[in-house]
Amino acid sequence: AQSVTQLGSHVSVSEGALVLLRCNYSSSVPPYLFWYVQYPNQGLQLLLKYTSAATLVKGINGFEAEFKKSETSFHLTKPSAHMSDAAEYFCAVSAYFGNEKLTFGTGTRLTIIP
Amino acid sequence: EAQVTQNPRYLITVTGKKLTVTCSQNMNHEYMSWYRQDPGLGLRQIYYSMNVEVTDKGDVPEGYKVSRKEKRNFPLILESPSPNQTSLYFCASSPPGASYNEQFFGPGTRLTVL
């Protein structure tokens, strides 16, 4: 069984400030981890993914995430927020072995303050 | 253009009136899946298909049916819709190895059941 917990359903940051969105996972087998972004009235698109190569993963739009096995975390960061980053962000986990099911967290809505 | 399409995008219906939401992808992907998105619950998998004629239940399959007769299409059928199926629905597809590959999402179908 696998699950994802996203701490904070809403996060607000000022433009230019650090963005930190938290994700903790639970998995009985080595996980694959993903961050997806959903802009208003759109489907989800992949930001980045961890598939057991480098623990620090760089994605699109300046985002990155670090896989920390000891903390079972995969937090998403961006050094400097931009107005265009306002969206909902979903962390997701899938199992290294199994039915290729993707389990999503409940999402974090990011608001950027001008 | 590589894409996942869904129709209709918006649908208002009444309790008990059978409906079908279509999903089609032009990327020759083996794996397809349906999710529903509800506030505070994130995305939950309804059904998925590993290939033609191979489907299986996800986390919330009750009240839904699917079929996979062709590789490109994966319709979602609600034979007797109820108000608790009011939700935002997403179809997604992926190449083999959906556990570690990106899933490509359609634009969503907003369904209201009165």
Side-chain angles (χ1 to χ4, degrees), chain A residues 34 36 38 49 94 100-101, chain B residues 37 59 97-100 103:
Chain A
F34 305 80
Y36 281 84
Q38 184 181 32
K49 64 178 181 181
S94 65
E100 310 202 47
K101 172 185 160 182
Chain B
Q37 182 181 11
D59 293 320
S99 59
Y100 55 84
Q103 291 198 22

Side-chain angles (χ1 to χ4, degrees), chain B residues 5-105:
Chain B
T5 57
Q6 295 179 227
N7 282 294
R9 293 288 313 278
Y10 302 90
L11 179 60
I12 300 174
T13 189
V14 296
T15 299
K17 185 176 182 182
K18 182 178 179 180
L19 67 92
T20 299
V21 183
T22 64
C23 172
S24 183
Q25 50 92 6
N26 62 2
M27 294 169 280
N28 202 35
H29 286 165
E30 281 79 5
Y31 182 94
M32 297 186 75
S33 181
W34 275 104
Y35 298 89
R36 60 178 288 174
Q37 182 181 11
D38 301 290
L41 297 176
L43 278 82
R44 294 177 292 167
Q45 190 180 47
I46 303 171
Y47 270 94
Y48 66 97
S49 170
M50 301 285 278
N51 213 326
V52 175
E53 303 291 2
V54 181
T55 63
D56 206 349
K57 296 177 180 178
D59 293 320
V60 288
E62 295 77 20
Y64 304 95
K65 284 178 57 177
V66 294
S67 69
R68 188 89 181 276
K69 293 183 169 56
E70 305 166 279
K71 199 172 190 179
R72 63 182 293 126
N73 296 323
F74 191 44
L76 180 69
I77 303 156
L78 285 72
E79 295 213 323
S80 184
S82 62
N84 64 11
Q85 293 179 298
T86 293
S87 187
L88 180 58
Y89 291 86
F90 288 101
C91 180
S93 74
S94 171
S99 59
Y100 55 84
N101 276 317
E102 175 181 0
Q103 291 198 22
F104 294 83
F105 285 79

Side-chain angles (χ1 to χ4, degrees), chain A residues 95-108:
Chain A
Y96 193 85
F97 310 104
N99 68 6
E100 310 202 47
K101 172 185 160 182
L102 198 60
T103 300
F104 284 87
T106 53
T108 297

Side-chain angles (χ1 to χ4, degrees), chain A residues 3-92:
Chain A
S3 65
V4 167
T5 301
Q6 291 185 242
L7 293 175
S9 58
H10 291 86
V11 170
S12 296
V13 302
S14 298
E15 190 174 14
L18 171 72
V19 175
L20 171 61
L21 304 182
R22 299 177 186 275
C23 172
N24 288 88
Y25 70 91
S26 172
S27 178
S28 55
V29 297
Y32 294 123
L33 293 158
F34 305 80
W35 276 100
Y36 281 84
V37 60
Q38 184 181 32
Y39 297 105
N41 299 314
Q42 295 186 28
L44 282 73
Q45 65 182 85
L46 182 69
L47 268 180
L48 50 80
K49 64 178 181 181
Y50 166 76
T51 56
S52 76
T55 57
L56 182 62
V57 181
K58 294 188 184 299
I60 61 172
N61 301 336
F63 284 93
E64 62 182 38
E66 186 172 9
F67 172 70
K68 292 187 177 180
K69 185 178 178 180
S70 60
E71 300 177 8
T72 61
S73 69
F74 191 57
H75 302 330
L76 182 70
T77 60
K78 182 174 180 178
S80 177
H82 192 272
M83 295 300 294
S84 61
D85 294 328
E88 188 153 22
Y89 293 79
F90 292 92
C91 184

